[in-house]
Amino acid sequence: MTTRALRSIYQLKVSLKGLRPPIWRRFLIASTASLNDLHQVLQIVMGWADSHLHEFTKDDIRYGMHDAEFPSAVRDEAKYRLNQVLKQEKEKLLYTYDFGDDWEHEILLEKILPFETDTQLPTCLTGKRACPPEDVGGIWGYRAFLEAVADPAHPEHDSMLEWATGDIKQPFDPEHFDLAAVNEMLRG
């Protein structure tokens, strides 16, 4: 008879679907974290502002925020642990953020590691590229945004930069990812 540890560490990779080059993060989280906890971690590691609705989907089962006023087929994410939804390495979970822009994220369980009490959890290990600005209009809007901010002669260059960064002289770097800042927020 084999035994399974009650707790382990999950190494997850989250990738924003539909963009090339990809925007992704790799991080560690306790296997016993709730899906609500995972949502909070995803918001930080990806760089979102948590200002829109979201949902997880696995095997046609939907998990999200419980709303007593609007009962639905969506299961309460606070009642489900990560290890109840992802049980084996290479399993995937879909995370959709902002139902208007429809940002779809693929979450891959890369590794199940032994639990070590001295490991800081959650922690981001690495990642690539900046998160798109909130409310940019999904994948198509982000592509148009990148085109405008990359070309100072573009008619929307200044307005897009001011909208995204607050200053037309502050550039938006789509390649930027600050691992130290992400981990500081995860610890805060």
Side-chain angles (χ1 to χ4, degrees), residues 10 27 46 72 92 94 99 103 116 144 163 176:
Y10 276 11
F27 61 98
M46 289 304 293
S72 71
K92 296 176 183 177
L94 181 69
F99 298 138
W103 295 109
E116 297 177 12
W163 170 74
H176 179 75

Side-chain angles (χ1 to χ4, degrees), residues 62-186:
R62 297 167 45 219
Y63 305 86
M65 295 175 59
H66 175 71
D67 189 338
E69 291 185 36
F70 299 100
S72 71
V74 176
R75 296 181 182 186
D76 184 354
E77 68 187 22
K79 294 181 179 180
Y80 291 87
R81 294 186 317 272
L82 196 47
N83 61 8
Q84 292 174 300
V85 179
L86 294 176
K87 299 174 184 177
Q88 298 177 22
E89 291 180 357
K90 307 303 177 210
E91 281 190 304
K92 296 176 183 177
L93 177 65
L94 181 69
Y95 172 72
T96 305
Y97 173 66
D98 184 351
F99 298 138
D101 283 0
D102 254 352
W103 295 109
E104 290 189 337
H105 305 70
E106 179 182 272
I107 302 166
L108 171 66
L109 174 52
E110 289 186 316
K111 295 180 185 175
I112 300 175
L113 306 166
F115 191 83
E116 297 177 12
T117 56
D118 61 341
T119 301
Q120 176 75 40
L121 296 175
T123 193
C124 190
L125 302 173
T126 189
K128 292 286 183 189
R129 295 179 190 73
C131 182
E134 293 275 346
D135 300 319
V136 75
I139 291 168
W140 309 113
Y142 186 53
R143 287 184 183 137
F145 167 82
L146 289 175
E147 186 178 301
V149 299
D151 179 6
H154 192 284
E156 294 182 37
H157 175 80
D158 289 353
S159 63
M160 286 290 190
L161 270 182
E162 185 172 17
W163 170 74
T165 67
D167 182 353
I168 63 170
K169 294 180 184 186
Q170 181 179 345
F172 177 85
D173 181 1
E175 296 299 314
H176 179 75
F177 172 66
D178 189 338
L179 179 63
V182 167
N183 279 319
E184 186 176 315
M185 288 192 298
L186 286 171

